[in-house]
Amino acid sequence: MKVAVLALDGVFGSGLSAILDVLHTANALRGELPQPPPEWEIHTVGFRRRVTTGVGHTVHTEPAGSVADADLLVVPATTERRPDALITYVSGDMTRPARGLLTEVRSAGTPVASACTGTFLLAESGVLDGRRATTSWWLSPVFRARYPAVGLDETSMVTVSGGITTAGAAFAHLDLALSVVRTASPALAELVSRYLVVDDRPSQAAYAIPAALAQSDPTVSAFERWAREHLHEPLVVSEAARALGISERTLQRAVSRTLGTTPVRFVQDLRVEQASHLLRTTTLPLPVIARRVGYENPGTLRLLLRTRAGTTATSLRGRA
């Protein structure tokens, strides 16, 4: 498989390195398998012979035109983290050639992969329309507002949809690269992850900070503050809306538009977050913690910890 890794000025250096390191490690380890997959042919390409990473390192590239016969185009993230500046970057003249290249390779049926803020460049080029994708969890409100034609699931670490693979926040570049290896050989991907000590991380949910997501909308932010003050009480959405001076429908729409979820599920995330904090930092029994976050039955909290955060009360206690 010929893999072209597109490096643009301002590329996230660790993301670029993670992709290259995983693929080269896979090549180095493939001989340890009884039936190794073919070797990857890896090329770092760009629109200039030398590009500068976000922290000022120089990367030498081959011409971007060499991706014409590539079997996969990988687009690492940019280091731009500010939402407004990120949108300006992915929609501006500087990235116009990259957007054109993405459109061209997808028209030819070439698979594409990206992670973190790189997913914004894919979405801006239109190649994600009608497909599922993920991106950095903390940028999901901005992504959802700008690209409504994309089915965003910010809880996923890696998604595959219609020939396009996307991954979550910055260090999900590792997960992205391992998914590329896994398509050729699950056994080799397992071997690489062991040598590089990369844990299996199927979800970003455990890393998300609900308060950070809520700040994207004043109504949702106000609801988040109200919910934290009443976390120990049963949630009645109509009462929350009345306390905020808005209709229940307005609250439902604001939460859906900003977070892609419902008020009930958002409050569940707040409860899981608070319960996780108490489990890590106190010796309170689980039934007591459950009541403090609004659940009479600790079994309900156990289930939410497992399904939403991918963890257990016992493992969280072990991190204290």
Side-chain angles (χ1 to χ4, degrees):
M1 174 183 283
K2 179 178 178 180
V3 179
V5 183
L6 179 63
L8 303 175
D9 278 320
V11 67
F12 183 63
S14 295
L16 174 63
S17 297
I19 292 166
L20 297 175
D21 285 341
V22 167
L23 293 177
H24 281 289
T25 300
N27 277 343
L29 295 176
R30 53 187 287 278
E32 296 190 19
L33 298 179
Q35 294 181 318
E39 187 172 9
W40 279 271
E41 181 186 336
I42 307 158
H43 300 264
T44 303
V45 304
F47 295 102
R48 298 170 55 188
R49 296 307 300 267
R50 290 193 299 270
V51 300
T52 304
T53 72
V55 294
H57 295 155
T58 300
V59 176
H60 295 268
T61 68
E62 302 173 38
S66 64
V67 306
D69 61 342
D71 299 295
L72 173 68
L73 174 64
V74 184
V75 185
T78 177
T79 50
E80 183 55 69
R81 299 174 180 86
R82 297 166 298 168
D84 290 347
L86 175 60
I87 296 301
T88 299
Y89 171 78
V90 299
S91 63
D93 291 339
M94 185 180 297
T95 57
R96 189 185 303 277
R99 298 197 303 274
L101 179 64
L102 284 164
T103 302
E104 180 182 331
V105 299
R106 284 305 297 152
S107 296
T110 304
V112 171
S114 189
C116 191
T117 53
T119 310
F120 278 73
L121 188 58
L122 269 60
E124 192 69 28
S125 71
V127 301
L128 282 177
D129 287 357
R131 293 178 171 83
R132 294 181 299 103
T134 190
T135 189
S136 303
W137 64 262
W138 50 277
L139 286 170
S140 59
V142 180
F143 189 101
R144 185 172 284 109
R146 184 166 180 86
Y147 309 114
V150 182
L152 182 66
D153 178 10
E154 69 273 21
T155 64
S156 294
M157 193 67 76
V158 177
T159 67
V160 181
S161 179
I164 300 180
T165 304
T166 55
F171 288 102
H173 284 85
L174 283 169
D175 306 86
L176 180 71
L178 282 170
S179 75
V180 171
V181 177
R182 193 173 292 112
T183 59
S185 171
L188 182 55
E190 172 68 16
L191 191 62
V192 171
S193 67
R194 285 179 174 272
Y195 269 90
L196 297 182
V197 194
V198 182
D199 294 330
D200 182 37
R201 303 177 300 170
S203 174
Q204 294 188 87
Y207 303 91
I209 303 172
L213 295 171
Q215 296 308 310
S216 300
D217 182 272
T219 298
V220 179
S221 180
F223 174 57
E224 184 252 343
R225 291 193 299 271
W226 181 92
R228 287 189 184 278
E229 293 172 359
H230 299 81
L231 212 55
H232 60 288
E233 303 171 2
L235 172 65
V236 180
V237 178
S238 59
E239 290 182 5
R242 189 160 50 250
L244 299 177
I246 58 177
S247 70
E248 182 176 350
R249 183 165 181 164
T250 297
L251 177 58
Q252 297 271 9
R253 284 180 172 176
V255 174
S256 177
R257 180 181 63 247
T258 305
L259 306 178
T261 190
T262 66
V264 171
R265 288 181 65 87
F266 178 58
V267 172
Q268 287 175 341
D269 290 339
L270 294 177
R271 286 173 167 161
V272 167
E273 178 193 55
Q274 180 63 11
S276 299
H277 171 72
L278 292 173
L279 284 164
R280 286 193 302 264
T281 61
T282 75
T283 58
L284 291 172
L286 184 64
V288 174
I289 292 176
R291 286 194 294 273
R292 286 196 177 188
V293 298
Y295 297 116
E296 285 297 323
N297 183 354
T300 303
L301 179 57
R302 288 184 188 276
L303 177 62
L304 285 172
L305 286 169
R306 186 168 62 251
T307 58
R308 295 297 182 82
T311 188
T312 64
T314 302
S315 64
L316 287 168
R317 271 273 145 83
R319 299 177 199 172

